[in-house]
Amino acid sequence: MAQEKISIVLISEHREDLQMAGMIASVGAVSGNDVSVLVSMNALKYFLKGASDKAPFAGQMGEILERKKAPSFRTLFEQAAELGEARIHPCSMAMDILGVEWRDLETFMKEPLGLTKFLGDAKGGQVWSF
Amino acid sequence: MMAKKKQIDARGSFCPGPLMELIAGMKAADVGDELEVLSTDKGSAADIPEWIKKVGHELLSATEENGVWHITVRKAK
């Protein structure tokens, strides 16, 4: 029942960006869209098993999100994958640079993806970047 | 088999928490079951009926009482 293809490129380490990307991924996926996320650059470290989800704030909203106990962005991505079948992939380049293996990442993370494959899959759909 | 009714208390949770809690409840429910979600998040009160419409379930009621929204949905498929 896929209605739209939504591709999200997530590279930021800021709480607000991670939160918004998680919201779009989870709500998009549970609304019947075909969602895929490529996690790269400074965002990848938050998807390691046992990593802290205390991301630095870009501004005031980040602090308020934390204080008011908005859902953790990692929970949102997990729900996107488990409730909405979103595919969340680590970027293979970022994994090489960071020196991590697939097994080091959260269990909801799908196989590492290169840009050629991600761009091919994203063709013709919505692309969001954070 | 009798349709079941279930309440999901998502008060205090921010967007999209109440929607996600409802969806987790819907996954576990049978077709015909009624779920009522309680939410104090104004955005969710508007967004949950949108989701119900988009996905094709049946919105039974949406009311507000003392700052708490009660949204009732029947699982249609």
Side-chain angles (χ1 to χ4, degrees):
Chain A
M1 67 173 199
Q3 290 164 338
E4 289 258 13
K5 191 157 62 177
I6 297 175
S7 301
I8 300 171
V9 184
L10 178 59
I11 63 168
S12 173
E13 66 176 339
H14 289 130
R15 170 73 192 252
E16 292 91 332
D17 296 328
L18 292 158
Q19 191 81 13
M20 197 69 221
M23 288 167 69
I24 291 180
S26 56
V27 176
V30 300
S31 300
N33 300 296
D34 177 15
V35 174
S36 68
V37 183
L38 183 70
V39 183
S40 188
M41 300 295 176
N42 293 317
L44 186 61
K45 61 177 181 273
Y46 296 108
F47 293 82
L48 289 164
K49 276 180 190 150
S52 165
D53 60 0
K54 302 282 180 235
F57 313 140
Q60 185 192 28
M61 279 298 283
E63 185 267 319
I64 301 173
L65 284 168
E66 187 73 23
R67 181 156 43 84
K68 293 201 168 176
K69 303 197 188 314
S72 151
F73 62 82
R74 220 164 30 216
T75 303
L76 294 174
F77 282 107
E78 194 170 1
Q79 289 172 331
E82 288 177 0
L83 298 174
E85 293 167 24
R87 297 176 312 283
I88 305 170
H89 298 276
C91 162
S92 49
M93 176 281 288
M95 289 180 68
D96 289 344
I97 299 280
L98 209 55
V100 298
E101 302 287 336
W102 188 11
R103 63 172 179 271
D104 301 326
L105 297 166
E106 288 280 6
T107 51
F108 62 80
M109 297 292 282
K110 298 279 190 211
E111 75 279 6
L113 220 57
L115 268 180
T116 309
K117 173 85 170 97
F118 182 78
L119 290 173
D121 290 349
K123 198 175 170 195
Q126 300 179 26
V127 180
W128 300 74
S129 68
F130 294 90
Chain B
M1 200 169 71
M2 282 279 288
K4 295 181 290 295
K5 290 188 181 183
K6 192 184 170 202
Q7 192 179 66
I8 295 162
D9 189 351
R11 287 176 293 178
S13 177
F14 289 92
C15 177
L19 175 63
M20 290 300 153
E21 289 189 40
L22 171 65
I23 289 163
M26 290 289 264
K27 288 236 167 189
D30 296 316
V31 171
D33 287 356
E34 285 179 21
L35 287 92
E36 181 190 34
V37 59
L38 306 187
S39 172
T40 46
D41 179 65
K42 210 172 182 174
S44 297
D47 216 34
I48 289 173
E50 277 298 321
W51 178 82
I52 292 168
K53 194 167 75 180
K54 184 169 171 106
V55 177
H57 295 297
E58 187 184 349
L59 177 66
L60 299 176
S61 64
T63 56
E64 192 238 316
E65 207 176 311
N66 303 322
V68 179
W69 277 266
H70 297 247
I71 300 163
T72 309
V73 55
R74 181 181 290 130
K75 182 165 172 161
K77 57 189 180 180

